[in-house]
PDB file of all heavy atoms in Angstrom:
ATOM      1  N   THR A  39      73.683  46.839 180.797  1.00 94.00           N
ATOM      2  CA  THR A  39      74.234  45.676 181.498  1.00 94.00           C
ATOM      3  C   THR A  39      74.638  44.578 180.519  1.00 94.00           C
ATOM      4  O   THR A  39      75.706  43.986 180.641  1.00 94.00           O
ATOM      5  CB  THR A  39      73.205  45.118 182.504  1.00 94.00           C
ATOM      6  OG1 THR A  39      72.845  46.154 183.416  1.00 94.00           O
ATOM      7  CG2 THR A  39      73.771  43.935 183.278  1.00 94.00           C
ATOM      8  N   LEU A  40      73.785  44.312 179.544  1.00 95.00           N
ATOM      9  CA  LEU A  40      74.065  43.228 178.589  1.00 95.00           C
ATOM     10  C   LEU A  40      75.051  43.643 177.497  1.00 95.00           C
ATOM     11  O   LEU A  40      75.723  42.784 176.929  1.00 95.00           O
ATOM     12  CB  LEU A  40      72.766  42.744 177.945  1.00 95.00           C
ATOM     13  CG  LEU A  40      71.774  42.036 178.860  1.00 95.00           C
ATOM     14  CD1 LEU A  40      70.525  41.648 178.091  1.00 95.00           C
ATOM     15  CD2 LEU A  40      72.392  40.820 179.516  1.00 95.00           C
ATOM     16  N   SER A  41      75.131  44.892 177.180  1.00 93.00           N
ATOM     17  CA  SER A  41      75.973  45.474 176.126  1.00 93.00           C
ATOM     18  C   SER A  41      75.952  44.635 174.842  1.00 93.00           C
ATOM     19  O   SER A  41      74.993  44.675 174.102  1.00 93.00           O
ATOM     20  CB  SER A  41      77.393  45.753 176.618  1.00 93.00           C
ATOM     21  OG  SER A  41      78.074  44.569 176.930  1.00 93.00           O
ATOM     22  N   ASP A  42      76.977  43.859 174.550  1.00 95.00           N
ATOM     23  CA  ASP A  42      77.045  43.087 173.299  1.00 95.00           C
ATOM     24  C   ASP A  42      76.077  41.904 173.271  1.00 95.00           C
ATOM     25  O   ASP A  42      75.854  41.319 172.215  1.00 95.00           O
ATOM     26  CB  ASP A  42      78.465  42.580 173.060  1.00 95.00           C
ATOM     27  CG  ASP A  42      79.413  43.691 172.655  1.00 95.00           C
ATOM     28  OD1 ASP A  42      78.935  44.797 172.336  1.00 95.00           O
ATOM     29  OD2 ASP A  42      80.632  43.463 172.670  1.00 95.00           O
ATOM     30  N   ASP A  43      75.530  41.524 174.424  1.00 96.00           N
ATOM     31  CA  ASP A  43      74.577  40.417 174.486  1.00 96.00           C
ATOM     32  C   ASP A  43      73.128  40.882 174.433  1.00 96.00           C
ATOM     33  O   ASP A  43      72.208  40.075 174.564  1.00 96.00           O
ATOM     34  CB  ASP A  43      74.805  39.597 175.763  1.00 96.00           C
ATOM     35  CG  ASP A  43      76.145  38.886 175.755  1.00 96.00           C
ATOM     36  OD1 ASP A  43      76.637  38.570 174.650  1.00 96.00           O
ATOM     37  OD2 ASP A  43      76.700  38.652 176.833  1.00 96.00           O
ATOM     38  N   TRP A  44      72.910  42.192 174.260  1.00 96.00           N
ATOM     39  CA  TRP A  44      71.562  42.749 174.120  1.00 96.00           C
ATOM     40  C   TRP A  44      70.939  42.165 172.854  1.00 96.00           C
ATOM     41  O   TRP A  44      71.555  42.174 171.793  1.00 96.00           O
ATOM     42  CB  TRP A  44      71.682  44.270 174.078  1.00 96.00           C
ATOM     43  CG  TRP A  44      70.475  45.082 173.780  1.00 96.00           C
ATOM     44  CD1 TRP A  44      70.288  45.859 172.678  1.00 96.00           C
ATOM     45  CD2 TRP A  44      69.300  45.246 174.590  1.00 96.00           C
ATOM     46  NE1 TRP A  44      69.077  46.507 172.752  1.00 96.00           N
ATOM     47  CE2 TRP A  44      68.443  46.149 173.912  1.00 96.00           C
ATOM     48  CE3 TRP A  44      68.884  44.722 175.799  1.00 96.00           C
ATOM     49  CZ2 TRP A  44      67.206  46.527 174.412  1.00 96.00           C
ATOM     50  CZ3 TRP A  44      67.656  45.101 176.309  1.00 96.00           C
ATOM     51  CH2 TRP A  44      66.836  45.986 175.619  1.00 96.00           C
ATOM     52  N   LEU A  45      69.747  41.622 172.938  1.00 97.00           N
ATOM     53  CA  LEU A  45      69.120  40.878 171.842  1.00 97.00           C
ATOM     54  C   LEU A  45      69.136  41.634 170.501  1.00 97.00           C
ATOM     55  O   LEU A  45      69.576  41.056 169.497  1.00 97.00           O
ATOM     56  CB  LEU A  45      67.688  40.485 172.240  1.00 97.00           C
ATOM     57  CG  LEU A  45      67.012  39.449 171.364  1.00 97.00           C
ATOM     58  CD1 LEU A  45      66.126  38.551 172.194  1.00 97.00           C
ATOM     59  CD2 LEU A  45      66.215  40.088 170.266  1.00 97.00           C
ATOM     60  N   PRO A  46      68.716  42.899 170.434  1.00 97.00           N
ATOM     61  CA  PRO A  46      68.796  43.593 169.141  1.00 97.00           C
ATOM     62  C   PRO A  46      70.228  43.752 168.620  1.00 97.00           C
ATOM     63  O   PRO A  46      70.449  43.740 167.413  1.00 97.00           O
ATOM     64  CB  PRO A  46      68.165  44.964 169.422  1.00 97.00           C
ATOM     65  CG  PRO A  46      67.271  44.721 170.573  1.00 97.00           C
ATOM     66  CD  PRO A  46      67.973  43.700 171.413  1.00 97.00           C
ATOM     67  N   HIS A  47      71.193  43.862 169.516  1.00 96.00           N
ATOM     68  CA  HIS A  47      72.592  43.973 169.085  1.00 96.00           C
ATOM     69  C   HIS A  47      73.057  42.651 168.460  1.00 96.00           C
ATOM     70  O   HIS A  47      73.738  42.642 167.430  1.00 96.00           O
ATOM     71  CB  HIS A  47      73.490  44.361 170.261  1.00 96.00           C
ATOM     72  CG  HIS A  47      74.909  44.594 169.860  1.00 96.00           C
ATOM     73  ND1 HIS A  47      75.856  43.594 169.914  1.00 96.00           N
ATOM     74  CD2 HIS A  47      75.531  45.691 169.359  1.00 96.00           C
ATOM     75  CE1 HIS A  47      77.012  44.076 169.481  1.00 96.00           C
ATOM     76  NE2 HIS A  47      76.845  45.343 169.138  1.00 96.00           N
ATOM     77  N   VAL A  48      72.670  41.539 169.068  1.00 97.00           N
ATOM     78  CA  VAL A  48      73.004  40.222 168.509  1.00 97.00           C
ATOM     79  C   VAL A  48      72.358  40.079 167.132  1.00 97.00           C
ATOM     80  O   VAL A  48      72.992  39.625 166.178  1.00 97.00           O
ATOM     81  CB  VAL A  48      72.549  39.081 169.450  1.00 97.00           C
ATOM     82  CG1 VAL A  48      72.725  37.721 168.797  1.00 97.00           C
ATOM     83  CG2 VAL A  48      73.307  39.134 170.771  1.00 97.00           C
ATOM     84  N   TYR A  49      71.105  40.495 167.024  1.00 97.00           N
ATOM     85  CA  TYR A  49      70.386  40.433 165.746  1.00 97.00           C
ATOM     86  C   TYR A  49      71.103  41.269 164.685  1.00 97.00           C
ATOM     87  O   TYR A  49      71.313  40.819 163.555  1.00 97.00           O
ATOM     88  CB  TYR A  49      68.951  40.924 165.950  1.00 97.00           C
ATOM     89  CG  TYR A  49      68.127  41.007 164.693  1.00 97.00           C
ATOM     90  CD1 TYR A  49      67.675  39.861 164.048  1.00 97.00           C
ATOM     91  CD2 TYR A  49      67.769  42.235 164.150  1.00 97.00           C
ATOM     92  CE1 TYR A  49      66.903  39.929 162.897  1.00 97.00           C
ATOM     93  CE2 TYR A  49      66.998  42.323 163.004  1.00 97.00           C
ATOM     94  CZ  TYR A  49      66.572  41.169 162.387  1.00 97.00           C
ATOM     95  OH  TYR A  49      65.817  41.245 161.243  1.00 97.00           O
ATOM     96  N   LYS A  50      71.480  42.482 165.057  1.00 95.00           N
ATOM     97  CA  LYS A  50      72.137  43.388 164.111  1.00 95.00           C
ATOM     98  C   LYS A  50      73.493  42.860 163.669  1.00 95.00           C
ATOM     99  O   LYS A  50      73.822  42.869 162.483  1.00 95.00           O
ATOM    100  CB  LYS A  50      72.309  44.760 164.755  1.00 95.00           C
ATOM    101  CG  LYS A  50      73.029  45.765 163.894  1.00 95.00           C
ATOM    102  CD  LYS A  50      73.253  47.043 164.668  1.00 95.00           C
ATOM    103  CE  LYS A  50      74.147  47.987 163.918  1.00 95.00           C
ATOM    104  NZ  LYS A  50      74.567  49.122 164.743  1.00 95.00           N
ATOM    105  N   THR A  51      74.320  42.381 164.611  1.00 95.00           N
ATOM    106  CA  THR A  51      75.691  41.994 164.286  1.00 95.00           C
ATOM    107  C   THR A  51      75.831  40.568 163.771  1.00 95.00           C
ATOM    108  O   THR A  51      76.701  40.291 162.954  1.00 95.00           O
ATOM    109  CB  THR A  51      76.614  42.170 165.509  1.00 95.00           C
ATOM    110  OG1 THR A  51      76.131  41.366 166.587  1.00 95.00           O
ATOM    111  CG2 THR A  51      76.694  43.622 165.927  1.00 95.00           C
TER     112      THR A  51
END
Side-chain angles (χ1 to χ4, degrees):
T39 303
L40 293 179
S41 66
D42 288 348
D43 294 332
W44 173 245
L45 193 145
H47 185 267
V48 173
Y49 176 72
K50 178 185 171 190
T51 59

